[in-house]
Amino acid sequence: MSHFQRALLVLSCGGACAATLHAQAFTSTPAQIPATGSLTENVDFGDIDHDGDWDAVIADGGDTTQDQNRVYVNLGGLQAGTVGFFQDQTATRMPVFNTDGRDIEFVDLDDDGDLDLYTSNTSQLLNQTNRWWINNGAAQGGTLGFWSDDTAARWVGLAGAGSSLPASAVLGGGGFIDWSCDCDFGDLDNDGDMDLAHGTYGGAFGGNVPTRLFLNNGTGFYTEFNPSGFQLSVTNIANGNPGLWCEGTQSANTTDATGTNCDIASSALDLDLIDADGDLDLDLLHGARQEAPRYFRNRLTETGSLAFRDVTGTALPAGYWSGGDNYEQEQGDMDNDNDWDLYGLNWPGLSDAVFNNTSTTGTITYGSMQTLASSANDDNEGDFLDYDNDGDLDLIVAAFQSTNRLYQNTYSGGAPGSFATTLISQASSGMTSSRALDVDVADVDNDGDSDAMTAEDGGQNELLYINNTTANDTFAPRVVNLETIGNGSATSGWHVVRVHVNDNSSYYTQWYNPTWLEITVDGIKLPDTRMQSSQGQVFRARIPKNLTGAITYKVRSTDEHANTTTSSTKNYTSTGTPGGTSYGTSTNGPAGAPTLRLLSLPLIDQPLYLVGENVPAGTAGFIAFSIQQASPALNLGSGLLSNLGFPLLAVLQRSADSAGKAVVAVTPPAGFAGLALNAEYISLAGTAGNAFACSRGLAFAIP
């Protein structure tokens, strides 16, 4: 039905037929997705070719076979087809590996701006490892959206000094034997790169092989984080062994929350990294198939170094687990109070439940458990989305032996934790019976709402559910909990700034929200700094410590549907004198002679900010640098007067902003130490028939 026909129907029957217009929230559209007939465990969305639409990767394998993972390319954008229709391009884009694939994750592991892949595999049938697949674009100099296997190189020091792995577990081609179903990435140590939480369920679902953490060295090479220094002699960890990455000694199913004991080994089928307690570091929710799921609090902010404590005994309420097959859990802000609540699939028995986040800074607690109607089924995965575009998170559940379900969030304020969810009937939801093992959501057809794709087991084809709602997402992200910087003296180094970004969307699409740090120095706006997702709800950027003056900063985030919001503004004072001596001669523009000055201390490997001023807003211009001064100034005609000697080191173009300020940033490399530099601002707006106006020269030294 066209938009015009819909409008006529509404006019003819008014509100009485509103339910008819939205009879089905989703429609299953097999024609838009390849038919593979495989045993699929997982789906993940990402824009692999940077063309503005969501592509998908599929983890295949299952319990009885080895299979090839797949990539489904969205045919919009660069493919010049219809957005929302997918084509299987595995044969040309992916390495050829048949694995018992359980999970596949997009991650920019080498920080070069493109999406690499990490695949989780299980040794249930054949001994095998998880694999690293590197995107050939960007740093690799190849074609964007095509991957090569780099597993042998990316694991560092396995079974060596500091590793907990026994030598018998390490494979000759790189990696180690394991039973992995889910792994998650996040910046665990707040150093700006993606670290790895490597989950395992153990052989035969034994739940006695430890989950491990691996830290990224900044360029995508991973070393185990094992502060205990303990190395296992066999695959399993025993009670009384050190907790490897967690405080205390291993004690299965412990409820101790003091740091004396921990349990890092259970049949984990799902891991989640979010900031649960609001202190801006990433905590770990550790699922389990047949044991009680566990929570680990990251104590980085508290102690200054990466450390985890098992706080399961105090974090989760009585009765949260009662023996179900716990395949999965998700976290999201269900009541829009800017902390992330919890959904546990099959946690209390076979029922699904939601829990309210009642944490305070440095303490993780959840309460107000509510079981969901009609959830006592063999469910496998759930995902948050705002399917009806009313600003809150709804829930879609992938069922293995029943009907996929849709729950509408009808919370309307009031007591925290009083979540109100309504099960949408099968006829109204458009969900079908299936063998679903996973569901992921994204706006695959770019029409302003969230669609869904399910991974299907048993040789069935994946299913794509297109959202039929006519409302568009008009809700901007909520940007809160911006990190504070105290007053101090300008020096070398960086202030790390983190913030929470919450949105009415899945967290793994929210990670790609363009999010910017806006900084001013004495009222002069610096170029915006792109913030990086640390995963969870945390974004991160750095402010150079060498800025001098009154500093303000705030964060701006825009979601995929162009809804934008800005955080509150924070400020601090950075004392210091940037120096610089003016010399030579200037020429006038419409507002008189331009000026040039430093906004930061000139230091090696630190951004050096210079501002050209006293020019009309929007006027084009540039700042030039040289080692030599011109004495006297070189008159090049048309008002172009050079106080710099030749050759020039650099010429940086910059137009004046709305306040008539033109700011550039350069970073002096190590080889510039001890040099005296000269700079000049040249504006393309002269007077008296001249095309140019020039500042005096500015001389400054690099210590």
Side-chain angles (χ1 to χ4, degrees):
M1 182 181 292
S2 71
H3 293 297
F4 179 68
Q5 289 172 314
R6 286 182 186 273
L8 288 178
L9 186 57
V10 170
L11 289 173
S12 64
C13 65
C17 64
T20 303
L21 286 177
H22 301 96
Q24 282 196 334
F26 293 93
T27 301
S28 178
T29 53
Q32 292 183 218
I33 190 171
T36 56
S38 57
L39 288 80
T40 303
E41 293 274 345
N42 180 254
V43 178
D44 203 12
F45 285 111
D47 185 0
I48 67 172
D49 47 9
H50 294 182
D51 66 347
D53 53 36
W54 294 106
D55 309 297
V57 288
I58 313 294
D60 279 348
D63 294 329
T64 60
T65 188
Q66 306 281 106
D67 202 355
Q68 169 76 47
N69 294 329
R70 292 177 168 85
V71 55
Y72 294 169
V73 176
N74 197 321
L75 295 180
L78 289 175
Q79 284 66 43
T82 303
V83 66
F85 284 72
F86 292 84
Q87 184 179 74
D88 188 337
Q89 296 188 6
T90 304
T92 57
R93 290 181 181 265
M94 273 190 172
V96 179
F97 279 96
N98 285 337
T99 60
D100 199 344
R102 299 293 166 136
D103 183 41
I104 189 164
E105 297 280 344
F106 282 116
V107 57
D108 183 5
L109 65 95
D110 51 1
D111 194 28
D112 66 348
D114 57 29
L115 292 176
D116 310 299
L117 288 171
Y118 181 77
T119 70
S120 296
N121 308 307
T122 180
S123 297
Q124 182 170 314
L125 301 176
L126 298 171
N127 285 342
Q128 56 193 290
T129 185
N130 292 2
R131 310 202 71 88
W132 301 100
W133 291 354
I134 304 301
N135 197 318
N136 293 330
Q140 283 65 42
T143 304
L144 187 68
F146 292 73
W147 292 277
S148 298
D149 183 81
D150 204 24
T151 302
R154 296 289 162 173
W155 297 112
V156 179
L158 300 181
S163 172
S164 70
L165 282 160
S168 59
V170 178
L171 294 170
F176 55 96
I177 299 168
D178 198 54
W179 299 266
S180 184
C181 192
D182 181 59
C183 296
D184 267 12
F185 288 88
D187 187 1
L188 299 177
D189 52 3
N190 191 27
D191 66 350
D193 53 38
M194 291 294 100
D195 307 306
L196 169 66
H198 174 98
T200 180
Y201 56 82
F205 291 96
N208 45 24
V209 175
T211 284
R212 290 180 168 89
L213 306 183
F214 293 85
L215 299 183
N216 191 329
N217 74 340
T219 58
F221 296 86
Y222 286 79
T223 302
E224 186 179 353
F225 173 66
N226 176 23
S228 76
F230 183 74
Q231 187 172 34
L232 300 174
S233 59
V234 294
T235 300
N236 296 349
I237 191 170
N239 286 342
N241 289 159
L244 304 185
W245 48 270
C246 190
E247 295 174 344
T249 57
Q250 172 69 18
S251 178
N253 303 312
T254 182
T255 58
D256 172 71
T258 67
T260 301
N261 295 311
C262 63
D263 182 6
I264 63 169
S266 58
S267 53
L269 299 184
D270 186 46
L271 303 178
D272 289 292
L273 292 170
I274 73 149
D275 177 18
D277 54 358
D279 63 355
L280 294 167
D281 55 32
L282 294 177
D283 309 298
L284 172 61
L285 175 56
H286 190 283
R289 180 176 181 265
Q290 61 224 17
E291 302 91 7
R294 309 197 67 80
Y295 228 117
F296 299 88
R297 180 164 61 87
N298 189 340
R299 302 183 69 213
L300 175 66
T301 300
E302 179 182 352
T303 67
S305 59
L306 185 62
F308 285 86
R309 178 172 292 179
D310 188 337
V311 295
T312 306
T314 56
L316 298 165
Y320 78 97
W321 179 76
S322 56
D325 286 339
N326 312 315
Y327 290 113
E328 206 263 345
Q329 65 276 329
E330 290 291 335
Q331 295 187 266
D333 186 7
M334 294 187 68
D335 52 1
N336 288 350
D337 64 350
N338 295 322
D339 57 31
W340 280 25
D341 310 300
L342 170 61
Y343 159 74
L345 182 145
N346 298 353
W347 274 28
L350 284 177
S351 294
D352 299 352
V354 291
F355 305 80
N356 182 49
N357 188 333
T358 57
S359 304
T360 57
T361 301
T363 301
I364 299 174
T365 54
Y366 291 87
S368 305
M369 182 178 77
Q370 301 168 62
T371 57
L372 298 182
S374 302
S375 61
N377 300 294
D378 188 3
D379 297 331
N380 269 263
E381 210 261 349
D383 243 356
F384 286 119
L385 76 166
D386 184 9
Y387 87 91
D388 52 2
N389 285 323
D390 65 350
D392 56 33
L393 291 177
D394 309 303
L395 177 67
I396 188 170
V397 179
F400 183 66
Q401 291 184 343
S402 182
T403 301
N404 298 330
R405 297 190 307 284
L406 181 65
Y407 293 91
Q408 184 181 39
N409 187 345
T410 54
Y411 175 73
S412 58
S418 299
F419 303 132
T421 54
T422 299
L423 177 64
I424 306 301
S425 70
Q426 183 176 356
S428 296
S429 70
M431 299 286 103
T432 62
S433 300
S434 63
R435 293 285 298 275
L437 295 179
D438 182 40
V439 58
D440 268 29
V441 299
D443 184 4
V444 301
D445 52 5
N446 288 349
D447 67 347
D449 53 37
S450 293
D451 311 298
M453 188 184 295
T454 58
E456 302 291 327
D457 193 27
Q460 297 192 32
N461 298 324
E462 275 62 74
L463 294 176
L464 179 63
Y465 293 98
I466 295 298
N467 194 324
N468 292 324
T469 59
T470 57
N472 292 323
D473 175 21
T474 59
F475 293 90
R478 302 184 307 280
V479 184
V480 297
N481 202 19
L482 179 59
E483 197 158 13
T484 298
I485 299 173
N487 298 333
S489 299
T491 183
S492 61
W494 303 87
H495 296 292
V496 173
V497 176
R498 294 168 293 178
V499 72
H500 285 168
V501 177
N502 305 295
D503 204 1
N504 60 322
S505 63
S506 63
Y507 60 89
Y508 49 81
T509 56
Q510 177 183 306
W511 292 338
Y512 303 108
N513 283 2
T515 301
W516 299 89
L517 184 65
E518 301 180 11
I519 307 168
T520 70
V521 178
D522 291 334
I524 298 170
K525 191 177 186 304
L526 304 187
D528 292 344
T529 298
R530 181 71 179 258
M531 301 191 79
Q532 289 183 312
S533 171
S534 297
Q535 311 291 51
Q537 75 275 49
V538 178
F539 278 74
R540 178 188 189 276
R542 302 186 304 174
I543 298 177
K545 290 184 177 180
N546 64 330
L547 297 176
T548 62
I551 316 298
T552 72
Y553 60 100
K554 59 185 177 181
V555 174
R556 181 183 78 252
S557 186
T558 303
D559 67 20
E560 65 173 314
H561 300 129
N563 302 303
T564 299
T565 196
T566 303
S567 74
S568 60
T569 299
K570 298 216 169 184
N571 59 78
Y572 67 97
T573 300
S574 181
T575 57
T577 303
T581 302
S582 294
Y583 69 90
T585 308
S586 61
T587 59
N588 287 335
T595 61
L596 180 66
R597 62 188 175 102
L598 299 175
L599 299 176
S600 58
L601 301 180
L603 298 173
I604 293 296
D605 293 329
Q606 291 281 134
L608 176 62
Y609 289 94
L610 301 93
V611 56
E613 300 176 276
N614 206 33
V615 293
T619 301
F622 52 91
I623 296 178
F625 297 86
S626 174
I627 296 176
Q628 303 293 327
Q629 293 184 14
S631 181
L634 299 174
N635 189 342
L636 302 177
S638 296
L640 181 55
L641 192 66
S642 178
N643 292 290
L644 306 179
F646 293 93
L648 299 180
L649 291 174
V651 178
L652 302 179
Q653 292 184 316
R654 185 70 71 237
S655 295
D657 62 19
S658 59
K661 315 290 185 183
V663 178
V664 299
V666 294
T667 301
F672 277 40
L675 286 182
L677 297 182
N678 302 275
E680 182 177 9
Y681 180 66
I682 301 170
S683 166
L684 275 68
T687 57
N690 290 325
F692 300 95
C694 303
S695 74
R696 299 177 68 197
L698 180 67
F700 56 94
I702 309 294

